[in-house]
Amino acid sequence: MKPIFTVALASSLALGACTASNDPVYTQFYREAGAVVDTGQFGNSTANNTLILTGERQYTFDLARRFASEVGTTVNFAFNSSQLDAGARDVLREQAIWIRQFPEIRFRVYGHTDAVGSAAYNKRLGLARANAVVQYLSTQGISRSRLEAVASFGETQPLIVTQGRERRNRRTVTEVSGFVQSHPTVLDGKYAQIIYRDYVESAVAPTGLTGTAGADLRTEQ
């Protein structure tokens, strides 16, 4: 009986080794060699460039999602106004910093209003708000040609469904819209170079020294 019991026990252990387990000792011991090091991200950079070259990845969609996650895309307005307040200008300065990193990308600004007033008036007001945003971005070093697409939805796309005054509905939204077609890095697989360029530039420390100050120091020596 003892040999039979031994065989049965060995069979049970062998079957147990083939089943899934949450035990950390078990999973580390039976896991494929190298699995702990490779977390599934290895080769993603090469795969990303390949997908861009073949057109399988929507580059503009990826950048649009990144833009929306890294900066505020929306600014709000006072009632019946297209004037930018201090908070709106702060958001737009952040947008401008991000936009300047990608000279190969175009942006569209959409204007919105609340439901107070006629549809035709609100359409014009939404456009005025979008133009105010574009004008301000152009003062922040953004080429006006990259912001040429301006649209107004008026009161047709409210965030808050109400017929009254609602500040959250009185807004503009900035979005990635496509490529500057004449730019040399458009769809040529240089996404990694663009990111690396921004990474290097971000490491440059600001300085308060000027050419005039330097000339004064040399004169004193």
Side-chain angles (χ1 to χ4, degrees):
M1 296 295 293
K2 186 174 182 180
I4 296 176
F5 174 77
T6 302
V7 172
L9 178 59
S11 300
S12 176
L13 290 174
L15 288 173
C18 297
T19 59
S21 172
N22 293 323
D23 181 76
V25 176
Y26 172 88
T27 54
Q28 292 295 327
F29 184 78
Y30 288 103
R31 187 176 294 177
E32 182 181 353
V36 176
V37 177
D38 182 10
T39 59
Q41 305 299 317
F42 184 78
N44 278 8
S45 298
T46 300
N48 182 69
N49 282 340
T50 301
L51 289 173
I52 291 174
L53 282 170
T54 59
E56 295 179 49
R57 169 155 292 183
Q58 296 183 359
Y59 181 50
T60 53
F61 174 79
D62 291 341
L63 274 181
R65 185 169 56 183
R66 179 179 168 185
F67 178 68
S69 66
E70 294 182 0
V71 300
T73 61
T74 301
V75 298
N76 297 102
F77 295 82
F79 179 72
N80 196 31
S81 173
S82 59
Q83 298 298 313
L84 300 171
D85 59 21
R89 291 192 293 271
D90 288 342
V91 172
L92 294 177
R93 279 192 291 269
E94 291 182 0
Q95 289 186 13
I97 292 172
W98 199 99
I99 292 172
R100 286 197 299 268
Q101 298 178 55
F102 297 92
E104 61 278 352
I105 302 300
R106 291 187 293 110
F107 291 80
R108 178 177 290 119
V109 180
Y110 296 95
H112 301 263
T113 71
D114 58 27
V116 179
S118 69
Y121 179 81
N122 285 335
K123 186 80 170 180
R124 294 193 298 272
L125 179 58
L127 185 59
R129 287 170 174 168
N131 277 315
V133 168
V134 167
Q135 176 60 32
Y136 188 82
L137 289 174
S138 68
T139 68
Q140 301 298 304
I142 310 300
S143 171
R144 184 64 176 79
S145 64
R146 298 174 58 201
L147 303 163
E148 79 282 9
V150 181
S152 172
F153 286 113
E155 63 188 54
T156 61
Q157 295 187 3
L159 288 178
I160 308 299
V161 180
T162 176
Q163 294 300 309
R165 299 184 180 186
E166 174 54 59
R167 179 174 174 81
R168 285 170 290 182
N169 290 339
R170 303 192 299 265
R171 69 197 191 280
T172 61
V173 180
T174 307
E175 296 182 359
V176 173
S177 62
F179 289 100
V180 178
Q181 295 184 1
S182 62
H183 199 279
T185 62
V186 173
L187 287 178
D188 62 358
K190 294 187 177 181
Y191 177 70
Q193 291 185 17
I194 296 170
I195 299 303
Y196 183 70
R197 174 197 69 202
D198 303 330
Y199 173 75
V200 172
E201 291 178 356
S202 69
V204 177
T207 176
L209 298 178
T210 65
T212 303
D216 292 341
L217 289 175
R218 287 191 295 271
T219 302
E220 291 176 1
Q221 292 175 353

